[in-house]
Amino acid sequence: MGNGVNLEMQSLSFLVVDDEAFIQKLAVRILGQMGGTDIETASNGKEALDHISSAVSEPDILLVDLNMPIMGGVELLNHLAEKNFSGAIVLVSGADEETLAVAEGLAKNCDVNVLGYLTKPITPQSLTDMLNRLN
């Protein structure tokens, strides 16, 4: 892995929003391997909003699944836009790329900082490439 991300990973906070426990664990493990230390999880958009509201400081980066019960990714993005969420967002989905591209387009219209999207399963390389867009 390139050194580009590792140096800053410890200073970033992450929130992984996914209803699949396996994907949550995978994302947490990959972020940890990349040097991330402040990593929280939420199972749906509502949990994510509750977490963000109660956190001392907003997470720097959200990994957001599109398809979740109670509140899905696109609805979460709308709420984040209303809250003027300042962090970066990476969309993650098992959906096809066309669906992800549409969601990315919607998100960009919401005035939130969407770095892009990853298809499941995420890999260390795909996540590193995405986070390098922060620079």
Side-chain angles (χ1 to χ4, degrees), residues 36-73:
T37 53
D38 184 354
I39 309 163
E40 301 285 335
T41 59
S43 298
N44 59 57
K46 183 175 180 328
E47 273 187 26
L49 287 175
D50 291 346
H51 175 84
I52 291 166
S53 303
S54 63
V56 177
S57 58
E58 289 185 341
D60 297 305
I61 299 171
L62 298 187
L63 272 64
V64 177
D65 183 23
L66 288 180
N67 303 315
M68 296 177 287
I70 304 170
M71 184 190 293

Side-chain angles (χ1 to χ4, degrees), residues 94-107:
D96 58 78
E97 296 224 357
E98 193 175 333
T99 305
L100 277 161
V102 168
E104 183 181 20
L106 286 171

